[in-house]
Amino acid sequence: MAVGLAVLWPLAHVLLGMTTASLAVLGRATTWALLGRTLLSCLEVTATTVVLGVPLGAVFARGRIPARRVWLALHALPLFLPPFVIALGWFHWLGERGLVGSARTSAVLFGPVGHLLVLTTTFTPIVTALTMLGMTGLDASLEEAALLVAPPWRVLTRLLVPAARSRIAVAAIIVFSLTLSEVGVPMFLRVPVYGAAVFVRLGGVDFAPGEAASLGVPMVVLGFVLIGLERALASSHGALRLRWRTRDPMDLGAWPGVMTIFAGLFASAPLLALAVRAVPGMGRCWSWAGPSMANSLVVSGAAAAIAMGIALIAGHALARGSLWASALDRVTVTGFFLPSAVLGTGIIAGWNRPATQRLYGSLAIVIVGFVARYTALGTRIVAASIANTSRAYEDAGSLGGAGYFRQLARIVIPLHARELVAAFGIAMVFGLRDLETAVLFYPPGGETLTVRIFTLEANGPSSVVAALALLQVILSLAVVTLGAIVMKRLR
Amino acid sequence: MKATRRDLISGGAVLLGAALAGCKRSSSEAVVYTSVDQVFAEPVFHAIEAKLGLKVRPVFDTEETKSTGVMNRLIAEGSNPQADVFWSGDPVRPLSLAKRGLVEPYASPEATALPAGFRAEDGTWTGIAARARVLLVNTSKITAGERPKSIRDLANPRWKGQIALANPLFGTTTMHVAALASIWGDDALIDFLDAARANGARLASSNGEVKRLVASGEIAFGLTDTDDADEAHKDGASVETVYPDQRDLGTLVIPSAVVRVKGGPHAEGAKRLIDGLLSAETEKQMAESGAHMPLRAGVPVPEGVRRVSDLRAMNVDFAKVADAMDRLQGRLKRWVGL
């Protein structure tokens, strides 16, 4: 019900706003040329992240690496941040007046290469993480048997990496879809993308929500193609299963250490530049931040709590093959793939009414937007975990007289507490890093920290903007660290 | 497990309560949507809050994309307005809103001190603190004798590949091209844009980006606003501001404009906020923080900031500019390639 109201209600209003005239935009060659260029760009980012992320995932998972967790944390950090913060960090390195900048580096940054650099920095950890999970998911006895007859590198490349292929495929699909929906980075770097064309209909010369919705149609279709691909390639719910099995590392020589140190330093480089630039602005950043930090925490926390609740019920039903859950899954995934500009227009049209004034005029409307966009992630994780657990526990509970809610409370939640925490954490982190959704309909005086950084970025004092971006980093890091501690305790 | 469920429910209620807090309608507050840069507008709101005891709740536009498009949000929310006041970066968008019946005229007592050309007679919009469209020149790339003097220099082959302007679908650049179209005609405007593009003009994402390109020396000069140019000066960049076309066409002067939104939830708060925005103190504050040119006579300006009366301003009819902006949208989108 909640998901339906968050996704389908706005979507229905957008569709009602489409007209024959607005659909004409899909008849233009320029529209399809732009979509083609955007898809090519998505493929480039996906290919690069796979080429980098798979070997990194392999060595992070099985290599003998000093201070492995430190380098892994540094490598993964950009994933938890708004991509435009990473763009801002690279700008402070490579922009004309950057730390190592020149006209040439600036020209490279503000173009397709810079776009690839920023999104690769941000999204490679997705491939790394899912490769690691896929490799450690393999039965340990198979690996041990292989090591008896083959050297470690051969076991790694011929057995363990192929074992992770379904998760690598899912990672590639996630990277592709996140690149497709990203708007802040390409706009900052002046790279024309299809998502920007949707925004133009809502924020440019004219207000044409019908055209925006019409332009959103190919993206929604693409979204469903990606969902189909994910289902075909992943073949089961196991692709997003988070269980990690600790094993003795392999002796792979010195390369793993070199690779992971490089990965950690490379990923943290933009944050280092931000930190350097932020020093003069740290004192003033609190006054410029206003209530935005608290707003970010409230809306992303509340949305994550709701997403976790939905993940528990819908994820459980999805894992047990329920048809309604399968339909709900499609709705949540639609919310994830729907261009944020289209979703935003629908939310304004659907919820801005006197009867729902208390919701629309408050931070609650941002919570609705975040639930619509990010519930799918948590639901998939919980479903993956439950699908890989025997149903016998619940059947035993049922025989003992436990009803549905009692089974959930006494069996499902304790067994999958880590995944539920992960669902909460991921929804919260995505809420914290969100820009495109919140910027469209945040209530007066209720902007989130990402929105505040973005609105101040062009004309605000650059040291203060860098300090605010650093604040965003610290906030996200605190949430991730807290989540990791809780998950560790639940192991 | 009952306790756990109760905890979840009460926790959710607390979060929802926190989220819903602050949506109470009060006569001592006002909601303002603004496309004036946040860095300049926010201190003005703080000053008005302190002076009038009025709680101001703002929604800001974004410089990079104008993607939130506060004006478009006003249109989208037209059936149930959330804003009381729209402080626009230009007077043309308020005219578009008025055409859609979304404006409540308000003749502020503060408006009487303003020149007639910078306010609507019927109180639809009232101008304050203006900006001008200028050429920002990198002085290390162009010597004093070579400086461009006209916006037509964007199409001058002498500067091929050395120039930039912001995306004409957004911000003040939209109004500038519409103003040119209202004087030259639509075809001549598109011909000029085509010539600029053929001359290698970089299409920046914003006026701030134009400033960045010029200040960094990536290009020789670009078309931007006085507040962006002032930022470059304050940053110590090697730049000079050229007020173009001072011998013929004139420089486009764009006052920001205050509008009362029809049906806004805080009628009294809206009037108080508009009075505060139209005060001499606000013009002085805008001149100091963002090099905005005061419209009132007698408001002091810091060094380097020109007065509107000292300029040859382009003679434009803002209503005609608004018409041109509506008319041009399709051609501009095609020109940009979106």
Side-chain angles (χ1 to χ4, degrees), chain B residues 1-331:
Chain B
M1 281 338 283
K2 276 179 185 171
T4 304
R5 249 181 286 161
R6 201 165 49 238
D7 288 348
L8 281 172
I9 291 165
S10 57
V14 167
L15 284 169
L16 197 61
L20 289 169
C23 66
K24 206 166 55 178
R25 296 188 177 202
S26 153
S27 59
S28 61
E29 70 178 72
V31 172
V32 56
Y33 288 8
T34 182
S35 56
V36 174
D37 290 334
Q38 181 174 1
V39 68
F40 307 129
E42 195 162 57
V44 169
F45 297 146
H46 288 326
I48 289 173
E49 283 184 322
K51 185 181 166 190
L52 303 180
L54 182 73
K55 173 72 182 164
V56 179
R57 295 169 60 211
V59 168
F60 298 101
D61 226 331
T62 62
E63 170 73 7
E64 289 293 338
T65 61
K66 298 290 177 199
S67 61
T68 48
V70 287
M71 186 191 84
N72 291 336
R73 185 164 163 180
L74 284 166
I75 296 169
E77 293 175 347
S79 61
N80 184 39
Q82 301 293 311
D84 303 299
V85 174
F86 176 38
W87 183 13
S88 171
D90 64 66
V92 173
R93 286 173 173 84
L95 286 164
S96 293
L97 287 181
K99 269 197 261 182
R100 295 170 188 259
L102 300 174
V103 171
E104 183 77 53
Y106 172 57
S108 167
E110 293 283 348
T112 53
L114 297 167
F118 292 110
R119 58 189 157 94
E121 289 303 321
D122 63 356
T124 308
W125 64 271
T126 311
I128 54 164
R131 290 175 291 171
R133 296 286 292 167
V134 295
L135 298 173
L136 188 65
V137 177
N138 185 300
T139 52
S140 57
K141 292 214 155 199
I142 306 179
T143 59
E146 287 184 302
R147 304 274 150 84
K149 292 183 174 59
S150 167
I151 57 162
R152 288 187 183 279
D153 282 311
L154 287 166
N156 183 343
R158 163 76 180 81
W159 307 112
K160 192 170 180 66
Q162 288 288 300
I163 48 187
L165 75 163
N167 189 331
L169 292 175
F170 302 112
T172 48
T173 313
T174 312
M175 186 182 156
H176 199 171
V177 297
L180 292 173
S182 73
I183 292 173
W184 293 346
D186 295 3
D187 291 341
L189 180 269
I190 298 295
D191 287 348
F192 167 68
L193 290 177
D194 285 343
R197 182 159 55 194
N199 206 29
R202 300 261 293 262
L203 193 62
S205 57
S206 66
N207 292 312
E209 185 61 26
V210 172
K211 171 205 74 178
R212 210 179 270 160
L213 289 168
V214 176
S216 65
E218 283 187 62
I219 57 168
F221 73 91
L223 186 61
T224 188
D225 296 337
T226 36
D227 57 331
D228 295 299
D230 182 62
E231 283 292 312
H233 285 286
K234 283 178 180 165
D235 287 348
S238 306
V239 293
E240 186 180 299
T241 302
V242 174
Y243 290 79
D245 302 300
Q246 284 298 286
R247 291 186 179 168
D248 40 36
L249 183 67
T251 296
L252 179 62
V253 173
I254 305 176
S256 61
V258 181
V259 174
R260 185 177 162 203
V261 177
K262 192 173 185 177
H266 312 95
E268 283 310 307
K271 290 178 184 172
R272 292 176 70 200
L273 177 58
I274 289 175
D275 294 345
L277 287 170
L278 294 177
S279 67
E281 287 90 336
T282 297
E283 286 214 306
K284 181 170 179 286
Q285 199 176 351
M286 294 292 283
E288 287 167 354
S289 65
H292 285 63
M293 299 180 290
L295 299 183
R296 295 163 182 270
V299 174
V301 293
E303 193 181 347
V305 176
R306 304 272 290 267
R307 291 178 183 282
V308 174
S309 55
D310 296 340
L311 285 177
R312 183 189 179 100
M314 195 190 289
N315 187 17
V316 289
D317 178 336
F318 291 125
K320 284 185 180 170
V321 174
D323 289 340
M325 205 160 83
D326 287 343
R327 206 170 57 233
L328 279 169
Q329 51 188 262
R331 295 181 78 173

Side-chain angles (χ1 to χ4, degrees), chain A residues 28 30-31 34 37 91 96-97 102-103 106-107 110 183 187-188 190 192-193 196-197 199-208 211 287-288 297-299 301-302 305-306 308 345 348-349 351-354 357-364 367 405-406 409-410 413 438-447 451-452 454-461, chain B residues 1 5 8 15-16 18-25 31-33 37-40 42-43 46 57-69 71-73 75-82 93 100 167-170 174 202-206 208-209 211-213 215-218 227-228 231 235-237 325-326 328-329 332-334 337-338:
Chain A
R28 293 180 198 148
T30 50
T31 300
L34 184 62
R37 284 202 301 276
F91 169 72
E96 179 79 22
R97 300 166 101 183
S102 66
S106 182
F110 284 93
V183 173
M187 282 189 152
F188 179 75
R190 301 194 292 271
V193 295
F199 265 74
V200 163
R201 266 70 186 178
L202 301 173
V205 171
D206 61 329
F207 181 60
E211 279 195 13
S287 61
W288 278 104
L297 284 170
V298 166
V299 293
I306 295 168
M308 184 177 70
T345 310
I348 294 172
W351 290 104
N352 179 30
R353 291 156 196 281
Q357 175 61 34
R358 286 184 71 82
L359 184 137
Y360 185 77
S362 70
L363 284 173
I367 298 172
F405 286 108
R406 198 169 172 82
R410 293 293 177 89
I413 291 177
V439 78
L440 286 163
F441 49 78
Y442 72 88
E447 72 268 44
V451 171
R452 184 156 272 257
F454 199 62
T455 52
L456 276 172
E457 183 272 322
N459 294 303
Chain B
M1 281 338 283
R5 249 181 286 161
L8 281 172
L15 284 169
L16 197 61
L20 289 169
C23 66
K24 206 166 55 178
R25 296 188 177 202
V31 172
V32 56
Y33 288 8
D37 290 334
Q38 181 174 1
V39 68
F40 307 129
E42 195 162 57
H46 288 326
R57 295 169 60 211
V59 168
F60 298 101
D61 226 331
T62 62
E63 170 73 7
E64 289 293 338
T65 61
K66 298 290 177 199
S67 61
T68 48
M71 186 191 84
N72 291 336
R73 185 164 163 180
I75 296 169
E77 293 175 347
S79 61
N80 184 39
Q82 301 293 311
R93 286 173 173 84
R100 295 170 188 259
N167 189 331
L169 292 175
F170 302 112
T174 312
R202 300 261 293 262
L203 193 62
S205 57
S206 66
E209 185 61 26
K211 171 205 74 178
R212 210 179 270 160
L213 289 168
S216 65
E218 283 187 62
D227 57 331
D228 295 299
E231 283 292 312
D235 287 348
M325 205 160 83
D326 287 343
L328 279 169
Q329 51 188 262
L332 289 177
K333 269 188 232 167
R334 283 194 291 280
L338 290 174

